[in-house]
Amino acid sequence: MEVKILKLELGYIFIKDIQFSDVSKVENGTLYVNKEEVKALILEDQNFKTADVELAKPGESVRIMPVKDVIEPRVKVEGPGGIFPGMVSKVDTVGSGKTNVLKGAAVVTTGKIVGFQEGIIDMSGTGAEYTPFSKLNNLVIICEPIDGLKQHEHEKALRFAGYKVALYLGALAKDLTPDEVEVFETPNLVEGIKMYPELPRVAYVFMLQSQGLLHDTYVYGVDAKQTLTTMIYPTEVMDGAIVSGNCVSACDKNTTYHHLNNPIIYDLFKEHGKTLNFVGVIITNENVYLADKERSSNWSAKLAGFLGVDGVIVSEEGFGNPDTDLIMNCKKIEAKGIKTVLVTDEYAGRDGTSQSLADADVSANAVVSAGNANEVIELPPMEKIIGHVEVADVIAGGFDGSLHKDGSITAELQVITGATNEMGFNKLSAR
Amino acid sequence: MKWASINLVQDRKEEKIMLKVVHYINQFFANVGGEEMAHIPAEVREGVVGPGLAFQQAFKDEAEIVATIICGDSYFNENMDEAKNTIIEMVKKYNPDLFIAGPAFNAGRYGVACGAISKTVKDELNIPVITGMYVENPGADMFKNDIYIVSTKNSAAGMRDAVKKMAPLGLKLAKGEKIGASIEEGYIPSGKRVNFFEKERGSTRAVKMLLAKLNNKEFETEFPMPDFDRVPPNPAIKDITKAKIALVTSGGIVPKGNPDHIESSSASKYGKYDIEGVMDLTEETYQTAHGGYDPVYANLDPDRVLPVDIMREFEKEGKIGSLHRYFYTTVGNGTAVKSAKGFAEKYVKELIADGVDAVILTST
Amino acid sequence: MIITNNDWVLNKYKDIYNVVYIDGTFKDVLIAVRDKIHIGHELLTHPLGSSVKPSETPYKSVIVSDNKNYTSFDSIYMIENAIITYDKFNKDKLKLISDKVKEDLKLIDLTVLESALDI
């Protein structure tokens, strides 16, 4: 059967509270979780010797650190495949049918994979203003690896634990009637031109971090390092086709939650059929090897040209060398007469006067900034710490004396998970 | 009894102390006169003068302009050290909480004066300062990294708009409050990035920016790339002995008497002069109009800035084809980039029409 | 040619690749890379590989070409920008890191380097 329009319905079940209970279920907007079942689920992986689960709710005096990933519970209700294809589900193509979402809930994984780990989520106070995860009802997973477990095995085990728990929670929503449904339709190229002949054609060039341990992203289970720039339906991303194995830096890495809720995809859909024709998504990587960067950006430009788009939005992930990929993508796409808008964050130094990006070009004349990640902030002490508090001093962006006796932290914005997200998830900016 | 005594304490606390402000303006805004009065030295008057009234109204009862310093733009620019010292002493006497200069809009010399005096007051007296200028005012580029310069319209018609932004920011500075991002407070971006929260999230702003760009509408990037402005060089002259070469300068060399009154700074025009038959520039026939360097040596021998004598020698020796009969000149001192570009755009057409192969551009 | 101050890289690859070991800081490595570029070696990996900042790790490995050719402007531009970027970070924190953390940082540098060697 020919699919001229790929349609996905997201059914939102709004979660306003989270509690531990004997029976895991969703009732009247509250997510009830059986703690022991979740622990058992994590411990199915023999790489873990202990596992614990805690709750962190909006407004509480709670600090979670070091955060590895944040994942939104979703479940496939109708249509092919399962959430997180190629990872914890089979590789069938997703992005169509119906998917239910526990909106307002999240699974947060924590753990010291390496000694310098980073990532703080404060559920109240100044820090809460800088992360979207302070507004969610979080189920926090804390697990200890068996002795002698290698770092990359620990990372993988923790990553999978997070997805498994997210699927476990998501499954609770499978038979529920959503509070709200949102429909996303992507016509194929021919159909799209027929439907919207007058509208400017726009694609999203989605850059994925891909540099090694703690710096990886997976597409249908494939390490993005190994991929050639390619295309994907925007709704595949909503079913978890792209997941994060990236833990650096806390402020500008895309958590799996960000991937599932990619705001650029969402905002392009909002305008789709009205002011623009959202043609599709081009995914490309950010390898360290320079020839790879050239190859990947050549391909991004080539595909954008092949699709015949008029404009693209390009988002990057991470610090430093991805700025080079960003500028390469920009230059090459602009050279084809296709207009670009870039989304990035800045590292302008603590006083804000240093050069914000590690690369630049005159063709990058339309840039959205997600803020200066070097700006120093004061995080008040929190009553409860979930995770490991002593990492604050060594945490990314922190510096000598950043963890004070009273539990408050002076650190750069870098340390807060999601603070300067380069998909433009937040309202933070700089001038 | 208890109730009454609480009231008394509150009354005493409500005795507000008004912040003191000193305002700097030029001869034009003080209604002393126009260009012809630009030479007047600094003087101080009590209270408000000219645009100070608008500021006073905006300050309401929070601040008071206790004195206004008036200084001619030419005087300031040509006697900078003396002017600064005099004005510093004047400001010291009033011990203000805030120093306001201008706004200067697009007036180049006024902008440079406002910027220079504000920076000096800030550096030497440690008093918060604020001024306002149009973004293309050369004073803006020169001082935006040192002091807060509110972005204004390009003429005095924008006075109300300027005061609306300058007054609240001025009060904030005087009170020592935290200053937000340039876009929030209205000052010209100073190269210091400051975080703030937008109304909409980044992705929405990106989509809107792309739509504007696609529809050829105006948009403003949130992060301006560093200024590149690289001009790729033209290929080399194949045979210089046959080339017609023109002399162009921003060093301000003009016929003696400066017949076209090219300004000594923030030039608003350029000059085109005929040197047919002129073998050498001398003290009697030419001079410099440039106010940004010590003129003594250029006046003694203007060839030092515009090397007509050497070019004539080369012509005679066959080293170059010929020296073009016209030279073009302006004063580069504090002249807006836009103006300079504009001059060149005009006369480059003449140079091409006249068959000039190459230009020697001298600057100072 | 691998230019590195990470002894794990030296020990693992000294017999396989041309490894130039710098007994110094992250910046010393960047400077050594810059010097090689000026005499005609080409930059093969980005000098700011990995999102771990210069203020967080003292280790850096960069690959340049074994052979010298003409001096590449792109390589110069990239290494100079990397040095500018390095300088804007406050490195006080590096004094605090424990041996265990140092090992982890060496591992990250090694794996990022290997992501380039695999190709």
Side-chain angles (χ1 to χ4, degrees):
Chain A
M1 191 187 78
E2 195 197 338
V3 177
K4 292 196 181 156
I5 300 180
L6 197 74
K7 174 170 146 178
L8 178 69
E9 278 183 32
L10 283 189
Y12 302 125
I13 288 108
F14 293 119
I15 301 299
K16 301 183 193 76
D17 193 13
I18 188 170
Q19 310 258 4
F20 284 131
S21 165
D22 291 331
V23 178
S24 290
K25 64 180 177 207
V26 176
E27 209 172 75
N28 293 327
T30 298
L31 172 60
Y32 294 95
V33 184
N34 179 318
K35 200 184 212 193
E36 297 311 313
E37 272 178 33
V38 174
K39 278 158 91 165
L41 185 62
I42 299 167
L43 290 172
E44 271 176 15
D45 186 339
Q46 282 159 3
N47 283 316
F48 291 117
K49 68 177 178 203
T50 62
D52 201 4
V53 176
E54 300 234 37
L55 302 178
K57 303 194 241 188
E60 289 184 335
S61 184
V62 170
R63 169 166 296 147
I64 312 172
M65 70 184 194
V67 175
K68 300 264 68 59
D69 197 9
V70 182
I71 308 138
E72 187 174 53
R74 293 191 173 199
V75 65
K76 208 83 199 114
V77 172
E78 228 178 76
I83 305 294
F84 308 130
M87 294 302 268
V88 288
S89 297
K90 298 234 175 82
V91 297
D92 299 40
T93 302
V94 293
S96 66
K98 294 186 183 168
T99 297
N100 276 356
V101 180
L102 291 182
K103 204 102 201 97
V107 173
V108 180
T109 58
T110 67
K112 271 167 63 166
I113 296 171
V114 287
F116 63 91
Q117 219 50 88
E118 59 179 33
I120 296 179
I121 294 174
D122 276 1
M123 299 306 290
S124 63
T126 315
E129 292 167 36
Y130 289 94
T131 175
F133 306 120
S134 59
K135 324 250 179 333
L136 303 178
N137 293 285
N138 299 312
L139 185 77
V140 187
I141 296 176
I142 308 114
C143 27
E144 294 306 317
I146 52 174
D147 300 326
L149 187 66
K150 289 266 175 276
Q151 292 96 333
H152 62 273
E153 279 164 13
H154 182 183
E155 188 277 321
K156 186 173 181 183
L158 193 53
R159 192 173 2 117
F160 275 86
Y163 304 139
K164 275 162 65 179
V165 175
L167 284 193
Y168 166 90
L169 294 179
L172 300 173
K174 182 151 188 196
D175 299 316
L176 298 180
T177 310
D179 299 312
E180 192 185 295
V181 173
E182 226 176 329
V183 180
F184 301 93
E185 295 185 326
T186 314
N188 69 22
L189 290 182
V190 171
E191 212 51 38
I193 295 176
K194 280 198 225 154
M195 285 167 79
Y196 313 117
E198 303 296 318
L199 296 179
R201 298 164 60 70
V202 171
Y204 168 34
V205 176
F206 185 9
M207 287 169 58
L208 307 173
Q209 178 77 281
S210 57
Q211 296 178 61
L213 180 61
L214 301 189
H215 291 77
D216 284 324
T217 312
Y218 301 90
V219 182
Y220 279 85
V222 177
D223 182 342
K225 256 197 254 77
Q226 320 287 355
T227 59
L228 285 173
T229 301
T230 186
M231 284 196 57
I232 193 169
Y233 275 97
T235 51
E236 290 181 77
V237 181
M238 296 175 181
D239 276 343
I242 302 179
V243 295
S244 174
N246 181 13
C247 308
V248 198
S249 355
C251 62
D252 54 21
K253 63 121 190 273
N254 296 329
T255 63
T256 301
Y257 189 100
H258 285 110
H259 282 296
L260 290 165
N261 289 283
N262 190 316
I264 293 179
I265 289 180
Y266 189 86
D267 284 337
L268 283 172
F269 260 125
K270 255 184 151 173
E271 296 301 315
H272 179 50
K274 301 187 193 127
T275 55
L276 52 85
N277 177 356
F278 181 18
V279 169
V281 179
I282 296 171
I283 47 175
T284 182
N285 58 19
E286 298 173 355
N287 290 1
V288 177
Y289 198 64
L290 293 176
D292 287 353
K293 289 191 190 298
E294 293 285 3
R295 183 190 302 116
S296 292
S297 51
N298 288 340
W299 274 72
S300 302
K302 176 174 69 182
L303 287 181
F306 197 174
L307 290 175
V309 293
D310 302 298
V312 302
I313 295 181
V314 188
S315 72
E316 71 164 320
E317 185 179 4
F319 150 86
N321 77 88
D323 292 348
T324 296
D325 297 272
L326 182 69
I327 294 295
M328 278 184 186
N329 280 318
C330 173
K331 270 167 83 163
K332 293 176 186 179
I333 293 173
E334 286 275 349
K336 289 196 180 292
I338 299 169
K339 303 201 160 119
T340 65
V341 168
L342 314 179
V343 186
T344 178
D345 66 354
E346 304 180 43
Y347 283 82
R350 288 212 192 117
D351 60 359
T353 59
S354 302
Q355 198 174 296
S356 295
L357 295 183
D359 206 337
D361 188 74
V362 64
S363 62
N365 62 9
V367 178
V368 165
S369 167
N372 176 17
N374 287 132
E375 208 168 88
V376 177
I377 50 167
E378 303 283 335
L379 302 177
M382 293 279 130
E383 277 165 27
K384 178 174 176 192
I385 312 282
I386 301 178
H388 303 262
V389 64
E390 69 284 0
V391 300
D393 253 342
V394 196
I395 223 164
F399 49 97
D400 194 8
S402 62
L403 175 63
H404 307 294
K405 280 204 194 67
D406 65 355
S408 63
I409 295 178
T410 304
E412 293 176 15
L413 206 51
Q414 281 188 63
V415 308
I416 298 185
T417 302
T420 62
N421 177 269
E422 296 170 286
M423 289 173 174
F425 203 90
N426 309 324
K427 296 181 184 167
L428 188 68
S429 187
R431 286 300 187 289
Chain B
M1 275 314 287
K2 219 177 175 188
W3 177 252
S5 62
I6 289 168
N7 271 349
L8 276 171
V9 170
Q10 278 187 328
D11 279 344
R12 240 175 271 144
K13 278 193 182 152
E14 268 161 28
E15 242 178 70
K16 254 197 236 171
I17 307 163
M18 276 225 260
L19 296 164
K20 287 190 288 185
V21 182
V22 167
H23 187 197
Y24 172 95
I25 57 177
N26 72 358
Q27 80 286 352
F28 173 78
F29 285 95
N31 244 313
V32 170
E35 259 313 294
E36 76 288 1
M37 296 306 281
H39 61 275
I40 59 164
E43 66 172 271
V44 62
R45 296 193 201 165
E46 296 281 307
V48 152
V49 177
L53 184 57
F55 281 110
Q56 189 58 75
Q57 286 166 344
F59 289 146
K60 301 211 175 66
D61 59 354
E62 288 205 70
E64 183 189 4
I65 294 182
V66 295
T68 305
I69 298 174
I70 303 160
C71 186
D73 288 335
S74 295
Y75 179 82
F76 189 95
N77 276 282
E78 289 159 26
N79 304 281
M80 219 178 263
D81 288 332
E82 209 183 300
K84 280 185 195 173
N85 288 334
T86 314
I87 295 170
I88 286 291
E89 290 308 309
M90 290 173 176
V91 175
K92 248 197 217 164
K93 261 199 259 163
Y94 290 93
N95 198 16
D97 302 293
L98 176 68
F99 178 86
I100 301 184
F105 304 108
N106 204 12
R109 286 173 315 146
Y110 189 18
V112 172
C114 286
I117 193 59
S118 299
K119 179 174 188 316
T120 306
V121 168
K122 174 172 172 243
D123 290 344
E124 290 185 28
L125 300 179
N126 232 333
I127 296 173
V129 302
I130 185 167
T131 180
M133 300 178 209
Y134 182 54
V135 67
E136 288 172 20
N137 191 317
D141 244 354
M142 285 163 74
F143 295 103
K144 67 183 182 207
N145 292 345
D146 302 307
I147 56 173
Y148 287 106
I149 303 180
V150 162
S151 181
T152 70
K153 302 208 171 115
N154 68 356
S155 79
M159 180 63 81
R160 204 148 39 124
D161 165 74
V163 172
K164 219 162 111 181
K165 289 190 275 195
M166 284 173 72
L169 183 53
L171 287 174
K172 263 190 165 175
L173 285 166
K175 294 186 210 163
E177 287 171 13
K178 183 160 180 266
I179 306 297
S182 56
I183 202 175
E184 297 177 293
E185 308 278 9
Y187 59 87
I188 293 176
S190 58
K192 176 179 189 303
R193 305 292 287 175
V194 178
N195 284 347
F196 72 105
F197 287 100
E198 289 261 11
K199 290 200 194 74
E200 294 175 314
R201 66 184 184 182
S203 50
T204 312
R205 304 191 318 260
V207 173
K208 285 191 171 169
M209 200 183 278
L210 185 63
L211 286 171
K213 202 169 168 182
L214 287 170
N215 293 317
N216 291 315
K217 296 232 167 77
E218 251 188 64
F219 66 89
E220 215 178 297
T221 182
E222 296 181 1
F223 174 65
M225 288 283 142
D227 206 354
F228 295 99
D229 214 6
R230 270 183 225 127
V231 180
N234 273 328
I237 299 277
K238 290 214 168 70
D239 189 351
I240 193 107
T241 63
K242 305 220 169 33
K244 182 189 237 180
I245 315 221
L247 284 175
V248 173
T249 185
S250 62
I253 298 300
V254 292
K256 187 96 181 200
N258 194 3
D260 295 311
H261 306 291
I262 300 179
E263 299 93 334
S264 60
S265 69
S266 300
S268 65
K269 50 180 107 107
Y270 65 89
K272 173 184 180 181
Y273 301 108
D274 192 348
I275 42 171
E276 179 88 348
V278 174
M279 296 295 146
D280 180 24
L281 304 184
T282 70
E283 198 184 352
E284 289 78 33
T285 50
Y286 291 85
Q287 68 171 85
T288 179
H290 200 293
Y293 60 82
D294 185 340
V296 170
Y297 296 100
N299 283 336
L300 282 173
D301 184 359
D303 290 305
R304 287 178 168 135
V305 177
L306 196 78
V308 172
D309 56 353
I310 303 293
M311 295 301 281
R312 289 299 186 200
E313 258 180 54
F314 284 176
E315 240 183 344
K316 201 154 141 213
E317 291 163 19
K319 285 193 178 152
I320 61 170
S322 63
L323 174 64
H324 183 47
R325 75 183 283 174
Y326 298 109
F327 76 87
Y328 293 88
T329 179
T330 190
V331 169
N333 186 25
T335 298
V337 172
K338 200 172 173 199
S339 304
K341 258 187 164 168
F343 302 160
E345 265 158 22
K346 283 208 208 99
Y347 60 69
V348 94
K349 299 194 184 119
E350 292 171 17
L351 288 169
I352 295 174
D354 286 340
V356 168
D357 296 304
V359 169
I360 293 180
L361 179 61
T362 63
S363 72
T364 56
Chain C
M1 182 191 302
I2 302 173
I3 303 177
T4 181
N5 66 348
N6 180 350
D7 59 345
W8 284 20
V9 171
L10 173 68
N11 295 334
K12 193 165 179 184
Y13 291 107
K14 65 177 188 280
D15 297 323
I16 313 174
Y17 296 102
N18 183 1
V19 178
V20 174
Y21 181 71
I22 306 288
D23 187 10
T25 65
F26 189 134
K27 187 163 184 180
D28 291 333
V29 174
L30 294 182
I31 300 289
V33 171
R34 184 200 63 189
D35 292 347
K36 287 273 185 256
I37 291 171
H38 276 255
I39 59 172
H41 293 269
E42 196 189 339
L43 199 53
L44 295 180
T45 58
H46 198 289
L48 290 176
S50 151
S51 287
V52 180
K53 320 286 180 305
S55 55
E56 297 152 16
T57 178
Y59 304 110
K60 177 48 57 188
S61 302
V62 182
I63 308 178
V64 301
S65 61
D66 277 317
N67 301 317
K68 290 188 270 190
N69 212 330
Y70 63 92
T71 308
S72 154
F73 177 75
D74 283 341
S75 294
I76 291 183
Y77 180 75
M78 211 172 276
I79 189 65
E80 293 290 355
N81 268 338
I83 294 171
I84 291 172
T85 302
Y86 174 90
D87 283 340
K88 71 185 173 194
F89 285 93
N90 176 310
K91 268 79 73 189
D92 289 340
K93 208 165 43 152
L94 291 177
K95 303 177 204 148
L96 292 181
I97 38 182
S98 66
D99 288 335
K100 169 69 176 62
V101 172
K102 281 195 182 137
E103 278 188 10
D104 290 332
L105 292 168
K106 285 183 188 178
L107 176 67
I108 296 292
D109 175 64
L110 177 66
T111 56
V112 170
L113 174 75
E114 287 178 333
S115 75
L117 291 174
D118 279 341
I119 288 104

